[in-house]
DNA sequence: CTCCGGTTTGCATGCGAATGCAATACTGCC
DNA sequence: GGCAGTATTGCATTCGCATGCAAACCGGAG
């Protein structure tokens, strides 16, 4: 009871008590400010005696080094910016978690910037630069001018699942094209002839790569007549896309290649619920990503899974290397996706 | 071609060219440093002439105010910490996106901290304090000492979907209990008698509240004999849980109440695939959250959706208010979930 | 032409910590 | 005990920007 009253008062009239600084600690411990600073650094020289006195004083005052002030003098904020679109985080929440955790193991914090759409980057660049981050990981494309701006500020950039083919940049990505080519070849080898593709949003370079990869392989196999309808990566758009396919093809396609798993799931549902089709007997459907729901028994998608763990690890280590050695030459790392054979499509290897 | 060579050289031997400061701009523009500072502030006084000269000089040098230095002098970093567990982000990626976007509209950046498990908070608190954030939103529980530490530093804290009943804290949450009580009453009114509950991980307070809410209502309805099995919020654990229920009950339950949608989906799949049961004719299954997959046609869960949009908006505005008026008294905001009647369960209102 | 009120501008200082340099303390060795 | 050599410590300065204060400036009224 007494305790409760105390808390109430404490909260009400304690107006953000001033935080202790290294000078306060120095004074209480009877040493200089530099001494305090040294105690809170890794390889600094300090006698056992001083260390003890300083730490005890710091403890008494609740002192913590001010990372902002430290960043100002050392020219290292120990923060990196992660730029990600809402889309990307919705479909791969894992990416953000992994990046943050891995950076945190290296004493680096993540300043997060989310974009409603990938093209909303403009203002974000300014923000990123103002905050003096040590590096940037972006899952959104920058144009030449934007990239110049960041590079001129001496900040290393890693592109995540994006790349600028015309330019020397660092990037980590999953080989979308290779994955699609595999899916197509498997579908074709299983005897499918009439194909439809459900693409993603126009401003998604990932969707472009996937669609192009699939189309190209289809062309190589002399399957020219392919219907492409577009979606927005969402479930509803997958259902709408399948329905549009049925209508525009005037019948059931042999195989539908969706630009991501969620739309593939939408296609499966629309095929079954609205059109009373069996999957995969009447129509084969494949996706991309290997997200959680792709493995749900009701769908069991054939898909290609992005190796998110290895990709995020690569991105983090590449960025840290470049923060520590600014001169390092650019590198592009491309990971193959994991090929997943599920029950949503008849593939050549289905019985293997 | 020439362009390409230029870029290559530029990248290789330009070692993080020193960033322009307000002094550099001042010199080039022939004004004082304070003048530059004022031009880059909102309500500062500066003549049109000076403003033009400064901006043009700044532009020429690629100058941007250093947010770190600014934070040091103004005692406001314009950064807030968001602390979230991997679990939470996996199941509600939307939360993080919404928080970040809303803060960004107010000129506030998000410093992200992710926890592998909710209990890993300890070290994170230190980090948060070192970075001089202006406020904290946490989707992980703090104990008394940890909360004291943060509050003593004068940093306002908002709990997201967590709360400390014994203490005056700010919180925003969804009424888990109310939601569960509704689900239970609906299930009971539909005539279900044999209930099983699939709980979430032990360290999830949200799961606790949901389980307790359901149990309590069941008890009120004099349904005492309820089997509780535990899961980890994941799909596989939902399947395992259903299988365990079948075994331990020695038959089919009338209704299964899962602590979240993903486990509910796991239960549905296990019921259908392994036990050849019909949902909802043979067994009713309900979840909680209202995540995307809950609406997939194959599942069509009856569930309670968290109003993430309103919750995150509330959290952001509460935090900003408290940053700007440190004395404000604590507030707890509780939102009711949206009741979703799907086809995964026979509910009293199913035909309404 | 002078004086007054208001606006612009510059000067000087401070935010909190890191660090080169010099001063001091300590160590082992002869 | 004295000395070279090393480990500690303090002093003073610096990072980049914001801001109180006073000086300079502007325009209009008298």
């Amino acid at each position: 009871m007494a305790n409760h009253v105390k808390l109430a008062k404490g909260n009400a009239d304690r107006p953000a008590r001033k935080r202790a600084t290294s000078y306060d600690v120095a004074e209480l411990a009877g040493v200089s400010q530099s001494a305090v600073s040294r105690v809170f650094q890794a390889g600094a020289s300090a006698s056992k005696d001083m260390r003890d006195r300083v730490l005890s004083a710091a403890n008494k005052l609740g002192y913590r080094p001010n990372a902002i002030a430290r960043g100002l003098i050392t020219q290292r904020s120990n923060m990196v910016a992660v730029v990600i679109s809402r889309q990307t985080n919705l479909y791969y929440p894992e990416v953000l978690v992994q990046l943050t955790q891995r950076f945190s193991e290296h004493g680096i914090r993540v300043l997060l910037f989310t974009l409603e759409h990938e093209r909303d980057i403009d203002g974000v660049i300014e923000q990123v630069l103002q905050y003096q981050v040590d590096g940037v990981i972006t899952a959104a494309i920058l144009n030449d001018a934007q990239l110049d701006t960041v590079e001129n500020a001496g900040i290393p950039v890693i592109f995540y699942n994006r790349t600028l083919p015309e330019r020397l940049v660092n990037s980590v990505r999953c080989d979308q094209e290779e994955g699609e080519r595999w899916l197509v070849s498997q579908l074709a080898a299983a005897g499918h002839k009439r194909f439809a593709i459900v693409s993603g949003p126009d401003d998604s370079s990932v969707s472009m790569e996937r669609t192009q990869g699939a189309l190209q392989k289809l062309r190589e196999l002399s399957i020219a007549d392919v219907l492409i309808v577009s979606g927005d990566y969402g479930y509803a758009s997958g259902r709408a896309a399948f329905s549009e396919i049925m209508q525009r093809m005037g019948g059931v396609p042999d195989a539908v290649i969706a630009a991501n798993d969620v739309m593939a799931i939408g296609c499966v549902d629309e095929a079954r619920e609205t059109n009373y089709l069996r999957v995969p007997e009447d129509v084969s459907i494949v996706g991309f990503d290997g997200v959680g729901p792709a493995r749900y028994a009701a769908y069991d998608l054939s898909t290609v899974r992005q190796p998110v763990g290895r990709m995020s690890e690569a991105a983090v280590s590449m960025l840290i290397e470049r923060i520590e050695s600014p001169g390092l030459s650019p590198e592009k790392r491309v990971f193959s996706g994991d090929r997943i054979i599920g029950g949503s499509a008849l593939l050549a290897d289905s019985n293997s």
Side-chain angles (χ1 to χ4, degrees), chain A:
Chain A
M1 183 54 178
N3 187 33
H4 189 258
V5 169
K6 174 165 151 270
L7 283 172
K9 274 195 59 185
N11 266 341
D13 54 23
R14 181 195 299 151
R17 172 173 81 199
K18 200 157 163 18
R19 258 107 88 175
T21 73
S22 57
Y23 283 98
D24 302 331
V25 176
E27 192 175 3
L28 180 59
V31 300
S32 73
Q33 178 268 330
S34 351
V36 177
S37 170
R38 289 191 175 105
V39 167
F40 282 91
Q41 272 178 81
S45 75
S47 63
K48 170 114 175 46
D49 174 56
M50 180 165 86
R51 187 175 304 276
D52 291 345
R53 290 167 61 194
V54 167
L55 286 179
S56 116
N59 212 37
K60 204 164 297 173
L61 295 176
Y63 168 79
R64 277 163 257 280
N66 181 328
I68 297 291
R70 173 180 287 169
L72 186 58
I73 188 78
T74 60
Q75 307 284 39
R76 280 262 301 217
S77 63
N78 285 313
M79 299 190 296
V80 299
V82 171
V83 180
I84 198 170
S85 74
R86 127 185 294 229
Q87 289 276 4
T88 302
N89 190 50
L90 286 191
Y91 296 120
Y92 319 104
E94 190 68 14
V95 173
L96 208 43
V97 174
Q98 296 238 3
L99 290 176
T100 309
Q101 290 191 345
R102 292 181 199 281
F103 274 123
S104 121
E105 290 164 11
H106 295 267
I108 293 177
R109 251 58 55 190
V110 166
L111 202 53
L112 179 61
F113 295 86
T114 62
L115 275 38
E116 183 64 32
H117 299 290
E118 233 184 284
R119 50 178 161 280
D120 302 341
I121 275 249
D122 315 16
V124 168
I125 302 274
E126 282 306 298
Q127 296 302 324
V128 167
L129 293 178
Q130 292 197 10
Y131 274 84
Q132 314 295 115
V133 296
D134 297 334
V136 176
I137 289 186
T138 175
I141 284 200
L142 309 194
N143 65 29
D144 270 324
Q146 293 165 332
L147 183 53
D148 281 340
T149 307
V150 181
E151 288 190 335
N152 282 340
I155 301 178
V157 179
I158 311 282
F159 284 85
Y160 188 94
N161 247 351
R162 310 279 183 284
T163 191
L164 279 60
E166 303 289 326
R167 223 172 138 158
L168 297 175
V169 295
N170 302 297
S171 65
V172 169
R173 61 194 186 86
C174 173
D175 198 330
Q176 323 287 348
E177 189 183 321
E178 178 190 85
E180 289 292 351
R181 294 175 66 88
W182 173 72
L183 287 168
V184 168
S185 67
Q186 286 288 314
L187 288 167
H192 296 304
K193 305 259 188 271
R194 305 180 68 207
F195 284 79
I197 291 178
V198 181
S199 69
D202 295 338
D203 67 340
S204 161
S205 60
V206 169
S207 160
M208 294 293 252
E209 290 172 32
R210 291 180 185 170
T211 305
Q212 286 311 313
L215 264 182
Q216 208 169 331
K217 181 71 185 183
L218 284 166
R219 246 181 264 119
E220 287 174 23
L221 294 172
S222 306
I223 304 177
D225 190 27
V226 179
L227 174 63
I228 302 181
V229 305
S230 65
D232 65 4
Y233 277 160
Y235 173 75
S237 87
R239 295 197 64 148
F242 190 85
S243 160
E244 185 182 342
I245 289 168
M246 290 290 291
Q247 190 187 330
R248 287 176 54 186
M249 289 184 73
V252 185
D254 293 340
V256 175
I257 298 167
N260 76 348
D261 286 344
V262 175
M263 291 194 297
I265 286 174
C267 288
V268 170
D269 278 347
E270 186 71 12
R272 288 177 179 156
E273 305 282 321
T274 309
N275 298 285
Y276 307 104
L277 298 171
R278 291 165 305 161
V279 178
E281 293 83 351
D282 299 326
V283 55
S284 283
I285 296 174
V286 301
F288 209 110
D289 282 350
V291 297
R295 292 190 316 271
Y296 294 172
Y299 303 109
D300 188 24
L301 292 185
S302 289
T303 188
V304 173
R305 180 172 47 223
Q306 301 202 49
V308 173
R310 280 178 296 149
M311 287 169 65
S312 58
E313 162 147 28
V316 168
S317 65
M318 277 176 68
L319 186 55
I320 290 180
E321 279 176 18
R322 276 157 188 79
I323 289 173
E324 281 165 4
S325 323
L328 240 46
S329 61
E331 179 180 358
K332 305 194 186 198
R333 295 177 67 172
V334 181
F335 292 86
S336 294
D338 299 324
R339 300 169 173 188
I340 298 178
I341 296 176
S344 73
L346 294 175
L347 302 184
D349 288 350
S350 280
N351 49 358
S352 71

